[in-house]
Amino acid sequence: MIGRHRHLIALEDLSREEILQVLDLAVSMKEVLSRPVKKVPSLRGKNVVNLFFETSTRTRSSFEIAAKVLSADALNWTAAQSSTTKGETLLDTAKNLEAMRPDILVVRHSASGAPQFLAQHVKCSVVSAGDGAHEHPSQGLLDCYTLRERFGSLEGRTVAIVGDISHSRVARSDLHSLPKLGAKVRLCGPPTMIPQGVERLGATVHHDLRTAVDGADAVIMLRIQHERIGDPLIPNTREYSKYWGLNAKKAAEWLKPEAVILHPGPINRGVELSSDVADGPRSVILDQVQNGVAVRMAILYLLAGGAGEDRAEKVPA
Amino acid sequence: MSNDSGVIVIQGGRVLDPASGVDGIRTVVLRDGKVAAVAERAEAPAGARIVDARGKWVTPGFIDLHVHLREPGQEYKENVATGTRAAVAGGFTAVCAMPNTVPANDNTSVTELMLARATAAGLARVYPVGAVTKGRKGEELAEYGELKAAGCVALSDDGSPVMSSAMMRRALEYSRAFGLPVAVHEEDLHLVGKGVMNEGPVATRMGLKGAPAQAEDVMVLRDISLLELTGGRLHLCHVSTAGSVRALREARRRGLPVTAEVTPHHLALTDEDVARSNYDPDFKMNPPLRSSEDVKALREGLADGTIDAIATDHAPHAPEEKRLEFDAAMNGVLGLETAFPVCLDLVRQGVLTERRLVEALTIGAARCFGLPGGTLAVGAPADVAVLDPSLSWVVDPMKGFSKSRNTPWKGRTLTGRCTHAFVGGRLVHEEGAAR
Amino acid sequence: MNAEAVQRAVQRISHEVLERARAQGAVEKLAFVGIRRGGVPLAERIRAEIAKVTGAPPPLGTLDIALYRDDLASRGATPVVGPTDVRFPLEGRTIVLADDVLYTGRTIRAALSELVDFGRPRQVWLAVLVDRGGRELPITADFAGVRLDVAEGDDVQVRWRENGAAEDSVVVLEGRKP
C-alpha cells in the first residue's frame, strides 16, 4: 500500500495484498491498545487534521484516538456543509489548512469524490472518512478485520449486507474489499434500495431477508433513514422492520449458530436491529468499534512514514 | 363463506370454459363447494338439487377486476352487500374492490373491514385492491407488505393517476418485494385540465371541454417505459384509446409484464352517444367515451388478446351527484348487471367469439392478478354462472340490485341475463326468485 | 563463530547474569525480554540456562520496537510490525534485555522507551551476543558474548536455529568500503 499510494480514498484502489498488509499491521496496533500505557511514539511530531463536513462523532473520535495513541497531534475542524452555502469552498478550506502543514488530512464529506478532489490539490496525505455514497474505506477495512479475527480467514465465507444499499458507502467499501479476501457477498433490501447494476460489483441480490441470511457467516445490518424526503423508498420504518429488520426470533430461526452480526453504527434500535440482537451473543458490533481504532492507527502509520517507499533493507541495530 | 354440503347438478347447459377447453353440452356437478365433475353424462345423487340449464350457458363465475363498492365511507351510494348482490345478479362471483373509499384503503383496517363485510354478505367473493400511495395522494408509498398480508391482491390509486414519475418508479420497484401488480389509472391531469368528455368534433359541437386521448396515451407510454427500468407487474385499468392498445401490443411483443382491462361501455359506446343522450350525465365517466376509431381499436385489441380482460369499473353515484348539468356531474356509471348482455352483443356483431368473451370475463381476468378461479376444472371452487343468452329484458334502474341508478342502459332492451349464480357451491342468485 | 562457540558464549553470559543477580539478591526478581527477532532466542537460552540452576524459569517477554523507531520520517513506515508480548508486571524486576547484535545503540534506546511504557522496572541489564562497537548513543552492554571489530559497511548477522537456520552461527558479510 505504501509505496504505491499517498492517499487512502477508496478500497476499490487496493489490492488483496495491500488490504492484508493493513489488517496484519492492525493486529499489532490492537495490542498497543491493550497496554497500560496506550501510547507509542511512532507519529510524534506529526499532525493529523480531521476535516469533517458531515457530523460524525464516532468516526471522528476513532481517528482522533488513533492519532493520539501514535503520539501524533490531532486537530478537529468541523466545516459548514457544502461549497454552495455561504463561507469558504472546500478547496479554500483545505488550502488554508494546508498552509498550517498537516501531515494527514482525514476528510468526510457528503459529496462523492470530494476527498479525491482534495487529494489533487494538497500536498499532504488524504484519508477518506466517507464521501457521499461512494466509499468509507476505514469502515470496510475494520469490517474485514473483525471478520478475519473471528473466522481466521475470509476464504469461502458468505457475508450478507442488509439495508439501503443505494445510499450506502459502507456497503460499497465492503463490496470492494471482502471479495478480494475470498468472501462471497449478498446484498439484501427492498427493491427500491438496491441500485441498478450492483451485481456487476460482484454481489448477488436478494429481496427476501430469509434467503439472504440463510447459511451466511456474517450479516452486516445498515442503518435505515426514513428522512429522505422527496424520494421515499419505503412507506415507513415499521414495514421495513417487519420484512428486513433482524430480531431475536428471526436470528434464532434463520441464522447459522456461528453467524455474527455487524453494524457500522449508529443503530436505529427496533428498526433494522432489535436491542436484544444488537446486544446479544452474535453481535460483534463493539468489537468493530475497538478494531476501528486499531485499523485507523494502521492507516495513519502507513501514510505518515516520510518518503513512503517500501524498503526491505535490514535495520541497523 | 360456508361450503354447501348439498350436491348441485346443472344439467343440459352448454358449458363454456376456455380455461379447460370445454365447449359443449355437459352436466356439471358441484359438491362440498368444489366442482366435482364436468361430464357428458353424470348421475344425480339422491337429494341433489337439479338445475335445468337447457338452452343456457354454464360458465365459470365471472371475475370483475375493477369495482367500486364504496364501503367504507360512501355507503349512501353502495356498500359491500348491495354491490356484491348486483355482482352475482350479473354473473360475477368475484370482484376486486378499488381503494378509493373513505378513508382510502391504504391500511390493514380498511382491507379487513371490506373482507368482513363480504363474508357477512355471503355473496360474491371480494378481493381488495390496496392503494399505491398513502391516502392516494401520490406522495408516499403505502405499506405494501401490510396490504398484502391483510388480503389485497393488487395495488391501485384508481380514481387518480400517480402523476409523479419518480413515485411510480418507486411503486413498481417496491411492489416487486411482495409480488403485487400495480393497476394504473392512466390520465395526465395537466392534459385533462377541466375536460369532461373526449376531446374531438363531438365535444366541439356540444361546446363541452374535452380531454384528448393523449392524456391517457402519454401515461401508458410512460409507465410501460418505467416497467423496463424497474421490473414488476403493470396492469392498465379501463383502457379507452387506440394509442393505449398500440402501446400495449408493442409492449407485449417485447415480452414486458403488462396486462390490461377494458369496460363494456368503452366497447359499446362512443362520444357520439354522449351527444345523442342530450347531455345526460349517465354517459359521463372517466376515462370518457371515445371516438369510433378508438372503439374499433379496443374491439380488435380485446378480440386478439392484446387486452386481457373485461372489467366493468362499476361506479355507483347518488342521484344528487349525477342529476346535474353535465359539467358538474360526477364521473362513473354502473356496470355489473349489464356487462354480460352488452358484451354478448359484440359477439352477435361478429366482433368477438363466444369463447373469447367468456375467457375475458373469467380466466383472462383471473390471470391479470393471479386470482384463483375462472375455471370449471374438477377441483376448482364451485363458482358458476348460468346465463340465458336469449333472454331479453328492459333495463329498469329502479329494479336493479345496486343502491344507485346511474346507468347509460336505462330503458334499453338488452338480451342476455344471468339466471343462476353459485359461489362456493351455494346458490347466491336466482332469476325470478323472491328478493 | 560457529555453533559451539555460540553456545559457549551463551553459557558464559548466563553464568555472569546469575552471579551478578545473586550478589544483589535479585535472582527471584529476574525477568527476560528479547528484542525481536534476533534477541528472542538469546533471551530464551539464557533463561533456560538459569532455570537449570534455580529450578524455576523466570518470566519471558518479547518486544517489537518498530513503533518506537526514531527514523520513521526518513525511512518510511515498516509495513510489518511484529507482536509485542509482555504480560508480567515490571515493577521491582531486574529485566535482562537481550538482543543479538549491539551496534549504534538506537534499537536499545527504542526498546528502553517501549519497556518503560509497560511499567517501571527496578533495573535493566543489557545482554548481547555480539558487540561490534560503532555506538551513536551512550549505550553499553552489561554482558556481551563476544566483541568484534568490523568495518562500517560490513554487516554482522547472527543466525539462530530457533529462527530457521540449520545451525547457530555468527557471520560477517563484507559490504562496500566507505
Side-chain angles (χ1 to χ4, degrees):
Chain A
M1 166 174 180
I2 318 319
R4 279 218 296 147
H5 305 280
R6 189 155 68 84
H7 311 288
L8 177 57
I9 292 174
L11 293 184
E12 191 175 4
D13 301 332
L14 295 191
S15 68
R16 174 195 158 89
E17 288 66 38
E18 289 166 336
I19 292 175
L20 287 172
Q21 259 180 15
V22 179
L23 300 190
D24 290 339
L25 181 56
V27 174
S28 302
M29 297 303 185
K30 190 167 178 178
E31 182 271 315
V32 174
L33 293 173
S34 66
R35 298 181 188 177
V37 176
K38 295 176 205 17
K39 215 154 181 75
V40 292
S42 324
L43 261 53
R44 198 172 65 89
K46 302 281 184 186
N47 285 326
V48 174
V49 177
N50 282 328
L51 186 54
F52 274 54
F53 292 87
E54 257 185 3
T55 48
S56 151
T57 319
R58 68 184 50 223
T59 305
R60 205 190 66 205
S61 304
S62 187
F63 270 106
E64 193 181 333
I65 294 173
K68 287 179 173 166
V69 172
L70 291 169
S71 298
D73 294 314
L75 172 73
N76 291 326
W77 184 294
T78 312
Q81 272 304 318
S82 72
S83 289
T84 56
T85 59
K86 48 187 182 286
E88 288 186 308
T89 63
L90 171 60
L91 189 53
D92 278 338
T93 304
K95 283 288 188 189
N96 273 304
L97 278 175
E98 195 189 24
M100 302 182 219
R101 317 276 264 134
D103 295 282
I104 301 181
L105 271 184
V106 178
V107 184
R108 170 174 281 200
H109 199 286
S110 59
S112 300
Q116 183 62 49
F117 172 75
L118 273 180
Q120 285 158 8
H121 291 95
V122 298
K123 296 194 192 65
C124 56
S125 289
V126 174
V127 175
S128 168
D131 61 326
H134 176 231
E135 284 230 31
H136 190 352
S138 58
Q139 180 72 41
L141 288 170
L142 76 86
D143 286 346
C144 289
Y145 184 99
T146 305
L147 291 175
R148 192 176 80 149
E149 188 181 55
R150 175 59 81 119
F151 296 120
S153 154
L154 283 164
E155 208 63 54
R157 298 280 173 182
T158 297
V159 179
I161 307 178
V162 183
D164 184 354
I165 309 294
S166 60
H167 289 97
S168 172
R169 52 190 173 218
V170 173
R172 283 170 180 74
S173 283
D174 285 336
L175 259 178
H176 285 302
S177 52
L178 292 168
K180 285 175 186 160
L181 301 181
K184 283 194 288 284
V185 177
R186 295 178 188 163
L187 300 174
C188 178
T192 45
M193 290 179 166
I194 306 287
Q196 295 275 330
V198 75
E199 298 87 350
R200 295 216 204 133
L201 294 182
T204 52
V205 172
H206 301 257
H207 298 303
D208 177 51
L209 179 64
R210 184 178 194 153
T211 53
V213 302
D214 181 40
D217 298 285
V219 181
I220 303 177
M221 304 300 293
L222 300 176
R223 175 188 169 85
I224 288 304
Q225 290 154 267
H226 187 45
E227 310 91 66
R228 299 194 184 276
I229 313 160
D231 186 16
L233 303 177
I234 47 171
N236 52 34
T237 51
R238 178 177 78 152
E239 179 142 291
Y240 179 87
S241 182
K242 182 167 175 187
Y243 292 95
W244 291 280
L246 204 53
N247 58 27
K249 184 165 187 290
K250 291 184 200 173
E253 289 172 15
W254 298 351
L255 295 181
K256 283 203 305 203
E258 327 82 63
V260 293
I261 294 170
L262 295 80
H263 193 300
I267 304 172
N268 254 334
R269 283 169 183 268
V271 179
E272 66 267 7
L273 263 190
S274 65
S275 279
D276 46 9
V277 176
D279 303 327
R282 294 176 199 277
S283 163
V284 293
I285 294 173
L286 291 177
D287 293 333
Q288 284 177 282
V289 176
Q290 189 180 46
N291 297 335
V293 179
V295 164
R296 289 172 177 125
M297 283 171 68
I299 292 169
L300 294 176
Y301 177 79
L302 288 168
L303 288 178
E309 283 172 45
D310 235 332
R311 302 196 199 188
E313 291 170 26
K314 188 174 188 300
V315 177
Chain B
M1 256 178 262
S2 58
N3 285 334
D4 194 3
S5 53
V7 177
I8 305 200
V9 177
I10 307 172
Q11 290 176 336
R14 175 183 172 197
V15 172
L16 266 156
D17 182 13
S20 60
V22 175
D23 182 357
I25 311 291
R26 301 280 190 281
T27 297
V28 177
V29 181
L30 309 178
R31 178 185 290 125
D32 296 332
K34 297 211 196 317
V35 175
V38 176
E40 292 191 20
R41 222 173 290 274
E43 285 291 310
R49 179 188 173 141
I50 313 286
V51 174
D52 180 0
R54 281 174 299 174
K56 300 184 185 168
W57 293 5
V58 180
T59 70
F62 299 156
I63 297 172
D64 194 338
L65 297 173
H66 194 140
V67 168
H68 296 274
L69 296 178
R70 305 300 188 201
E71 185 171 13
Q74 297 180 313
E75 293 83 352
Y76 62 95
K77 312 194 212 216
E78 191 84 286
N79 60 32
V80 174
T82 58
T84 52
R85 186 67 189 86
V88 294
F92 290 91
T93 54
V95 298
C96 297
M98 282 299 171
N100 57 336
T101 48
V102 181
N105 186 11
D106 62 6
N107 62 76
T108 306
S109 309
V110 174
T111 303
E112 285 179 348
L113 178 127
M114 284 186 186
L115 289 170
R117 294 279 185 269
T119 305
L123 300 165
R125 299 180 198 272
V126 171
Y127 296 110
V129 174
V132 171
T133 63
K134 289 200 180 112
R136 290 173 51 247
K137 288 197 197 140
E139 290 163 7
E140 294 174 75
L141 296 170
E143 294 167 283
Y144 298 172
E146 292 289 295
L147 289 170
K148 170 144 187 186
C152 287
V153 300
L155 303 162
S156 181
D157 272 357
D158 183 65
S160 308
V162 176
M163 282 300 286
S164 160
S165 308
M167 193 68 232
M168 186 66 199
R169 179 238 172 113
R170 294 301 181 204
L172 281 168
E173 283 176 337
Y174 194 60
S175 72
R176 274 174 45 213
F178 306 99
L180 291 171
V182 180
V184 287
H185 165 107
E186 302 291 52
E187 62 172 329
D188 182 323
L189 294 174
H190 299 308
L191 280 176
V192 168
K194 295 204 173 71
V196 295
M197 66 175 287
N198 185 41
E199 183 172 321
V202 181
T204 305
R205 222 167 66 222
M206 294 179 76
L208 289 172
K209 261 192 133 331
Q214 279 72 15
E216 176 173 314
D217 300 346
V218 299
M219 296 293 270
V220 169
L221 289 165
R222 177 196 84 168
D223 290 343
I224 288 176
S225 183
L226 284 176
L227 193 59
E228 286 178 74
L229 174 68
T230 60
R233 286 156 62 199
L234 185 69
H235 177 81
L236 303 177
C237 295
H238 46 54
V239 295
S240 71
T241 68
S244 292
V245 178
R246 249 194 321 268
L248 196 49
R249 204 171 267 126
E250 166 68 16
R252 213 38 93 57
R253 200 179 53 76
R254 287 169 45 216
L256 290 171
V258 52
T259 53
E261 71 193 37
V262 63
T263 68
H265 49 266
H266 285 110
L267 291 166
L269 302 170
T270 68
D271 49 5
E272 288 282 2
D273 290 297
V274 180
R276 267 183 237 124
S277 78
N278 213 7
Y279 296 88
D280 184 347
D282 282 343
F283 286 78
K284 181 181 182 187
M285 74 290 289
N286 193 17
L289 298 172
R290 300 277 189 195
S291 70
S292 45
E293 287 75 32
D294 291 311
V295 172
K296 181 165 179 291
L298 292 172
R299 290 175 171 196
E300 283 165 3
L302 179 62
D304 72 17
T306 301
I307 299 175
D308 305 78
I310 294 169
T312 64
D313 195 3
H314 177 88
H317 288 297
E320 62 271 18
E321 293 166 334
K322 286 301 257 190
R323 274 211 289 260
L324 302 165
E325 59 275 25
F326 201 87
D327 281 337
M330 292 192 88
N331 281 310
V333 295
L334 304 178
L336 286 167
E337 295 173 74
T338 51
F340 177 63
V342 168
C343 294
L344 188 55
D345 216 47
L346 296 173
V347 174
R348 290 184 198 112
Q349 292 174 41
V351 171
L352 289 181
T353 63
E354 288 156 336
R355 185 204 154 102
R356 183 66 195 128
L357 169 65
V358 175
E359 191 177 46
L361 286 166
T362 58
I363 193 68
R367 284 198 190 118
C368 288
F369 289 172
L371 301 172
T375 174
L376 288 178
V378 172
D383 294 358
V384 188
V386 179
L387 310 136
D388 188 338
S390 44
L391 175 56
S392 290
W393 55 290
V394 178
V395 179
D396 182 354
M398 302 300 290
K399 295 218 179 95
F401 287 98
S402 169
K403 266 199 204 185
S404 295
R405 322 227 188 292
N406 50 319
T407 169
W409 309 107
K410 59 200 169 195
R412 298 257 219 130
T413 301
L414 298 180
T415 305
R417 196 146 162 97
C418 175
T419 62
H420 302 76
F422 299 88
V423 173
R426 279 182 312 111
L427 181 65
V428 292
H429 170 73
E430 187 175 5
E431 182 61 24
R435 295 168 65 118
Chain C
M1 270 171 93
N2 61 11
E4 258 187 66
V6 170
Q7 192 47 24
R8 274 203 309 269
V10 171
Q11 280 167 338
R12 191 166 46 73
I13 294 173
S14 309
H15 187 69
E16 287 174 11
V17 169
L18 194 51
E19 267 203 26
R20 198 198 289 195
R22 275 201 183 122
Q24 296 188 16
V27 175
E28 306 297 311
K29 296 294 185 182
L30 279 175
F32 288 85
V33 175
I35 298 175
R36 288 181 51 88
R37 287 179 70 222
V40 177
L42 181 62
E44 285 171 341
R45 291 191 193 190
I46 300 176
R47 173 186 184 245
E49 290 293 328
I50 300 222
K52 280 185 200 159
V53 175
T54 66
L60 174 68
T62 62
L63 216 58
D64 187 292
I65 57 123
L67 296 176
Y68 284 78
R69 297 169 56 92
D70 61 5
D71 55 358
L72 182 69
S74 55
R75 286 185 46 88
T78 322
V80 179
V81 175
T84 287
D85 186 3
V86 177
R87 283 187 227 186
F88 50 90
L90 302 185
E91 280 63 21
R93 287 263 178 205
T94 295
I95 304 292
V96 178
L97 195 56
D99 203 2
D100 50 356
V101 178
L102 176 57
Y103 181 17
T104 61
R106 294 190 188 273
T107 298
I108 304 304
R109 184 214 61 79
L112 285 171
S113 292
E114 183 161 3
L115 203 59
V116 301
D117 276 348
F118 278 92
R120 190 173 187 280
R122 185 173 158 263
Q123 57 186 342
V124 180
W125 294 340
L126 177 61
V128 298
L129 188 68
V130 178
D131 180 348
R132 63 170 283 182
R135 222 70 85 233
E136 291 173 6
L137 295 174
I139 304 267
T140 315
D142 295 282
F143 310 94
V146 68
R147 290 189 159 72
L148 290 183
D149 193 9
V150 292
E152 202 185 306
D154 291 348
D155 190 13
V156 178
Q157 287 183 7
V158 175
R159 297 191 182 143
W160 299 101
R161 245 185 306 115
E162 290 92 319
N163 285 353
E167 52 171 37
D168 300 333
S169 61
V170 178
V171 298
V172 178
L173 303 172
E174 284 184 21
R176 292 169 291 117
K177 300 299 171 197

